[in-house]
Amino acid sequence: MKREFWFVVGSQFLYGPEVLETVEARAREMAEELTKALPYPLVYKVTAKTNKEISDVVREANYRDACAGIITWCHTFSPSKMWIDGLRDLQKPWCHFATQYNMEIPNLEIDMDFMNLNQAAHGDREHGFLGARLRKPRKVIAGYWQNADVQKRIGDWMKAAVGVAVSKEMKVMRFGDNMREVAVTEGDKVEAQIKLGWQVNTWAVGDLVKEMDAVTEAEIDALVAEYEAAYDVATDNLAAIRYQAKEEIAIRRMMDREGCKAFSNTFQDLYGMEQLPGLASQHLMALGYGYGGEGDWKVSAMTAILKAMGEGGNGASAFMEDYTYHLVEGQEYSLGAHMLEVCPSLAADKPRIETHHLGIGMNEKDPARLVFEGKAGSAIVVSLIDMGGRLRLIVQDIEAVKPILPMPNLPVARVMWRAMPDLTTGVECWITAGGAHHTVLSYDVSAEMMRDWARMLDIEFVHITKDTTPEKLEEELLVKDLIWKLK
């Protein structure tokens, strides 16, 4: 689906038709120019002057799937009582853009006619009061509309809003339950659907096996050709690669048939399958699907959502797990990996297809998987947890590095990073907040985008940064616990 955002400009009849014509012309110009710099089109809809105009455009936005949110701006003074009914009923993300058409005050040209036309400075404050009074989740962005940093902030907000749209449409296909006796992968699926829009249901592994049996050799040939074009083949066990292709084709066919964008499985339930999907899961993630290991449906959905929020609608985001630490003084790092399933969008170089023994789960034969090192750079790790009665989104800033050890006997995809503010303090903060061992690691999605996403969906947000201390975080969590219980 092609997403777009609607530009709704506020004014009133007080200023006469010439002013209103100028406001509309400028609003159209701004929307057209901003569209050139933004990741999604900004479509001018109306210069709203009445309660009915505002209510009508909001009602239309609510029911147009392509509309991912609205951006409002008050070029002139727009009395905000007329916005009450529309904004109260708004169900899409809202950004209040406090800007003005002109960058500077024109010393010689400024007169009362100019002042009547260019009233954003107090028009946006009237508009802002109503947003505060309604206690409506909104993003406020102030600055000149042609500035690159302002345009980037709007673009990032748009990506977060698209993440909300994807969340509202999210269907997760579970093959089997979560790993036995694990706590954090449990959760209230009913509450997740109420709050986030996710439909999370189970399909039998036997149905997947039946779908695999229907895959043709020609279909496998075509997908293996895709593998060979995208990755270096570093194994002679071509049968293992072909088996992964069969698994991928079957999983994707079932997901597409049901409208699912994410899936989970568990190595404890592979009845009728020879191998745990490794390469299959990795390539599906590269195509934009979400994945969660060990039955973790929450991280599966979040992987798909962050991918959709990333660069070009499928950014460098992946299912991840903290495996082990390097605790040498001055070289404190976390090693992230998984048995098989890390998305190649994180790779620093061209991934290799390898086949190795997997000594866990119900594997009859050795599965093929992609092996690579993650790229260096600033990133975040994200965890959504069920606190009982509410959801909490935890985001931690990290700095990924080229792995400092070659680890020649570890045949998995791996990423190494330093957690903020440092490894041990970061671990203390993560554990204090209840962060899961499964995360989504993203180079493309920022913490501010995740904060916006959480605000739009009205869920708790916790951010661990270079300035976070365990003491401050503990106080913050205590206050938030009280606030969210009251809410």
Side-chain angles (χ1 to χ4, degrees):
M1 179 187 299
K2 292 184 178 180
R3 311 282 184 183
E4 63 183 28
F5 291 80
W6 289 3
F7 195 33
V8 180
V9 179
S11 189
Q12 59 177 313
F13 287 114
L14 179 66
Y15 307 108
E18 290 185 9
V19 167
L20 292 175
E21 288 171 7
T22 301
V23 171
E24 179 174 348
R26 289 179 173 181
R28 289 185 183 277
E29 176 193 348
M30 290 168 66
E32 290 171 4
E33 290 301 311
L34 283 166
T35 293
K36 297 174 184 177
L38 297 173
Y40 298 92
L42 181 60
V43 179
Y44 168 77
K45 292 300 290 186
V46 66
T47 297
K49 305 166 290 296
T50 66
N51 184 302
K52 185 177 186 306
E53 284 183 312
I54 295 163
S55 296
D56 285 349
V57 74
V58 167
R59 191 177 300 114
E60 185 183 2
N62 285 342
Y63 289 98
R64 286 287 186 92
D65 291 340
C67 177
I70 69 166
I71 297 179
T72 60
W73 168 53
C74 295
H75 187 304
T76 63
F77 191 82
S78 178
S80 277
K81 282 179 67 178
M82 71 174 68
W83 288 81
I84 291 174
D85 292 343
L87 292 180
R88 182 193 58 207
D89 296 337
L90 179 65
Q91 298 171 16
K92 296 290 179 75
W94 169 28
C95 174
H96 178 183
F97 186 25
T99 188
Q100 63 184 31
Y101 180 75
N102 56 299
M103 177 183 285
E104 55 187 291
I105 297 172
N107 183 45
L108 297 178
E109 290 82 7
I110 188 168
D111 56 18
M112 287 311 299
D113 288 338
F114 179 93
M115 296 284 278
N116 283 336
L117 175 61
N118 298 278
Q119 297 190 45
H122 65 294
D124 279 322
R125 291 169 192 250
E126 164 77 356
H127 193 58
F129 161 75
L130 186 70
R133 175 67 186 268
L134 290 173
R135 291 165 176 81
K136 196 80 175 178
R138 70 200 195 283
K139 177 78 169 183
V140 179
I141 297 177
Y144 188 53
W145 62 280
Q146 291 184 335
N147 285 354
D149 59 334
V150 172
Q151 293 171 350
K152 183 179 186 308
R153 290 190 67 203
I154 296 173
D156 285 350
W157 174 84
M158 284 181 163
K159 293 175 183 178
V162 166
V164 170
V166 171
S167 181
K168 295 292 187 181
E169 301 163 356
M170 180 59 59
K171 292 183 178 180
V172 181
M173 180 170 285
R174 301 175 69 218
F175 293 110
D177 203 354
N178 62 303
M179 183 179 173
R180 291 187 284 275
E181 302 294 349
V182 177
V184 77
T185 54
E186 296 283 3
D188 187 339
K189 302 181 190 70
V190 174
E191 182 64 19
Q193 185 164 349
I194 293 169
K195 201 73 176 173
L196 306 176
W198 301 356
Q199 298 178 48
V200 184
N201 291 297
T202 301
W203 276 258
V205 176
D207 290 338
L208 175 57
V209 173
K210 185 184 298 183
E211 195 74 49
M212 288 169 58
D213 291 340
V215 175
T216 68
E217 292 299 311
E219 290 173 318
I220 294 172
D221 290 342
L223 184 51
V224 169
E226 287 185 38
Y227 293 161
E228 292 172 342
Y231 315 121
D232 289 331
V233 178
T235 177
D236 294 329
N237 189 350
L238 300 183
I241 298 176
R242 293 182 67 82
Y243 192 82
Q244 290 289 320
K246 179 187 286 190
E247 289 179 317
E248 178 181 340
I249 292 165
I251 293 169
R252 184 175 182 182
R253 188 171 290 162
M254 289 183 68
M255 283 198 292
D256 290 350
R257 189 162 58 229
E258 299 293 338
C260 296
K261 284 297 294 180
F263 73 104
S264 66
N265 59 13
T266 172
F267 57 85
Q268 290 178 326
D269 188 356
L270 298 174
Y271 188 78
M273 301 172 68
E274 295 178 1
Q275 302 172 13
L276 180 67
L279 172 59
S281 297
Q282 291 174 297
H283 192 247
L284 282 166
M285 277 188 280
L287 297 175
Y289 294 92
Y291 173 76
E294 299 151 33
D296 193 339
W297 51 271
K298 293 191 293 297
V299 80
S300 169
M302 290 303 298
T303 302
I305 289 167
L306 266 76
K307 284 185 141 320
M309 289 167 61
E311 208 59 44
N314 181 14
S317 301
F319 169 66
M320 183 54 63
E321 180 173 273
D322 288 74
Y323 246 86
T324 190
Y325 303 130
H326 191 72
L327 293 172
V328 175
E329 189 172 355
Q331 291 185 326
E332 294 93 347
Y333 296 105
S334 183
L335 178 64
H338 208 253
M339 294 183 298
L340 302 175
E341 313 96 344
V342 175
C343 178
S345 65
L346 306 188
D349 299 301
K350 192 173 184 179
R352 305 179 307 280
I353 300 178
E354 300 183 9
T355 306
H356 299 276
H357 177 65
L358 183 65
I360 190 170
M362 299 169 63
N363 290 280
E364 298 175 17
K365 298 181 180 178
D366 300 335
R369 81 289 304 268
L370 294 174
V371 178
F372 58 84
E373 291 183 349
K375 56 190 176 184
S378 298
I380 59 172
V381 286
V382 176
S383 174
L384 182 72
I385 60 172
D386 189 329
M387 290 295 293
R390 74 178 189 275
L391 297 166
R392 171 182 288 170
L393 184 72
I394 305 166
V395 176
Q396 183 169 37
D397 298 335
I398 66 171
E399 187 67 28
V401 301
K402 176 177 173 56
I404 62 173
L405 302 167
M407 296 173 279
N409 296 315
L410 183 65
V412 297
R414 79 289 298 262
V415 184
M416 186 170 277
W417 68 83
R418 184 172 71 88
M420 298 296 157
D422 57 71
L423 178 62
T424 52
T425 306
V427 168
E428 291 176 13
C429 291
W430 187 266
I431 291 174
T432 298
H437 57 286
H438 290 161
T439 61
V440 184
L441 187 152
S442 180
Y443 293 93
D444 289 340
V445 179
S446 69
E448 183 176 3
M449 290 163 66
M450 294 312 304
R451 184 188 297 274
D452 289 341
W453 184 84
R455 182 191 293 117
M456 293 170 192
L457 290 167
D458 193 30
I459 60 175
E460 182 185 1
F461 178 82
V462 175
H463 187 195
I464 302 171
T465 74
K466 62 181 179 59
D467 299 317
T468 303
T469 65
E471 295 78 16
K472 289 181 180 178
L473 180 63
E474 193 171 354
E475 292 176 3
E476 176 189 338
L477 294 174
L478 178 61
V479 171
K480 286 183 173 178
D481 196 40
L482 293 171
I483 292 171
W484 282 90
K485 284 177 179 175
L486 289 172
K487 290 184 72 172

